[in-house]
Amino acid sequence: MAYTARPRRTTMVLATLSLGVMALTACNGDGEKDSAAPSAASSPSAGGGGKGSAAPSTSAPSDGGKADGDSAGSGGSTPQASAPAADDGQDGGVGMCETADLSYNVTVASKPVNHALLKATNKGSDSCLLPANELVITIPGLDGAAEHAGPEGKDWILKSGESAYAGILFSRADTEGGKSADKVEIALTASESPATVPIDDGPVTVNDGQVTSFFGTAEDALTY
């Protein structure tokens, strides 16, 4: 009896050891699964890294768009070439004064002697550019137009109602004789038809003819 019971105990011990080994194996398997889980979880992380690495490539069109925008902006900021000014005898959109645009008055001056003062007034409603140095004065009885005397003036814009002045010499003190005249012919340029203007306080004796440029005051006009 004692002999047969011993093998049974050994068998039970072996069975218990086998169950322990199986339990350990099962634990090791679970441990391997648990340790494998983080690496599996890290796989999406690697996938996320792939998406992150794609971000710069998606930003490339954005940069390109900005470059296009900059180039378009620089194109928009390029100054437009200004249209060339038309050579139409105008200054800043103001037309040249024509002889018919002005009214004229010629008066014998008290001094200097043998002079008359020409006053030209813009009778229109618009301003015009007055040519200061092209005045043509013709005195009946004298050949040709009066010569220019004194310094040249500057063209300027003559507003509506404003006046310009020029001095006319019709006789030299050291020259005797002459012809009588009671009017003069006036044109702002040689290409225009003249206006005939009576001489106030005339007639005058004429034996020479000179005219100044237009000035802004009667005093300046009669200085030469």
Side-chain angles (χ1 to χ4, degrees):
M1 294 292 292
Y3 180 81
T4 57
R6 190 166 177 166
R8 289 179 182 175
R9 185 178 300 171
T10 302
T11 300
M12 293 178 65
V13 170
L14 290 173
T16 302
L17 289 172
S18 297
L19 290 173
V21 169
M22 292 177 65
L24 288 172
T25 301
C27 289
N28 288 337
D30 293 337
E32 289 176 358
K33 287 181 181 180
D34 292 339
S35 63
S39 57
S42 66
S43 287
S45 217
K51 290 181 181 178
S53 62
S57 63
T58 58
S59 67
S62 171
D63 293 339
K66 182 177 181 181
D68 293 341
D70 290 342
S71 62
S74 61
S77 63
T78 302
Q80 296 293 328
S82 58
D87 185 11
D88 57 359
Q90 295 187 353
D91 186 321
V94 177
M96 295 296 295
C97 296
E98 297 181 358
T99 300
D101 295 331
L102 311 183
S103 61
Y104 305 94
N105 180 263
V106 177
T107 305
V108 175
S110 57
K111 59 179 182 181
V113 295
N114 302 328
H115 279 70
L117 177 68
L118 165 62
K119 178 182 179 181
T121 303
N122 182 356
K123 65 181 181 180
S125 58
D126 298 324
S127 300
C128 62
L129 185 66
L130 180 69
N133 306 306
E134 301 180 49
L135 181 60
V136 178
I137 299 292
T138 302
I139 302 174
L142 297 181
D143 294 332
E147 297 179 355
H148 181 81
E152 291 190 350
K154 292 184 178 180
D155 297 355
W156 81 88
I157 294 176
L158 195 65
K159 296 179 180 179
S160 176
E162 288 186 341
S163 300
Y165 303 87
I168 301 172
L169 171 67
F170 52 82
S171 179
R172 289 184 178 274
D174 57 355
T175 302
E176 295 181 359
K179 296 181 179 180
S180 177
D182 59 2
K183 58 187 177 184
V184 296
E185 294 182 348
I186 301 170
L188 296 183
T189 64
S191 62
E192 296 183 73
S193 298
T196 301
V197 182
I199 301 175
D200 293 344
D201 300 327
V204 295
T205 299
V206 297
N207 58 33
D208 194 7
Q210 292 186 358
V211 63
T212 68
S213 297
F214 275 119
F215 294 95
T217 67
E219 291 77 11
D220 289 339
L222 291 174
T223 301
Y224 308 100

